[in-house]
Amino acid sequence: MGTRASDPQRIIRGIMIAVLVWGAILAAGSWTLNHDPRRPMVVIGCVLAFLGFWKAMLSTLGRRAGGD
């Protein structure tokens, strides 16, 4: 029962998808407050900005650890 090298990437990808789904649920809830379309756009925008920043930091860490 050896672990594969891609397991950490798969786990991080799963967490990112879960954060995106959570953001979509929050966006739907924010829209139901007063049906203002700007509210869910702000929520999804913030979630996507967070995930983009996280991905950039992971990429930077990967380059440093790889020695490239």
Side-chain angles (χ1 to χ4, degrees):
M1 296 229 138
T3 59
R4 296 183 308 185
S6 65
D7 282 343
Q9 289 86 11
R10 194 173 76 198
I11 291 170
I12 289 173
R13 191 176 324 122
I15 292 171
M16 287 184 165
I17 290 170
V19 169
L20 189 61
V21 169
W22 176 67
I25 291 169
L26 288 177
S30 70
W31 182 77
T32 60
L33 182 64
N34 64 358
H35 301 291
D36 184 358
R38 293 174 294 179
R39 287 178 180 265
M41 289 176 15
V42 169
V43 172
I44 291 295
C46 290
V47 169
L48 291 176
F50 169 75
L51 290 175
F53 178 75
W54 187 16
K55 180 74 173 164
M57 292 297 105
L58 287 174
S59 174
T60 301
L61 180 65
R63 278 186 274 157
R64 284 188 183 177
D68 292 338

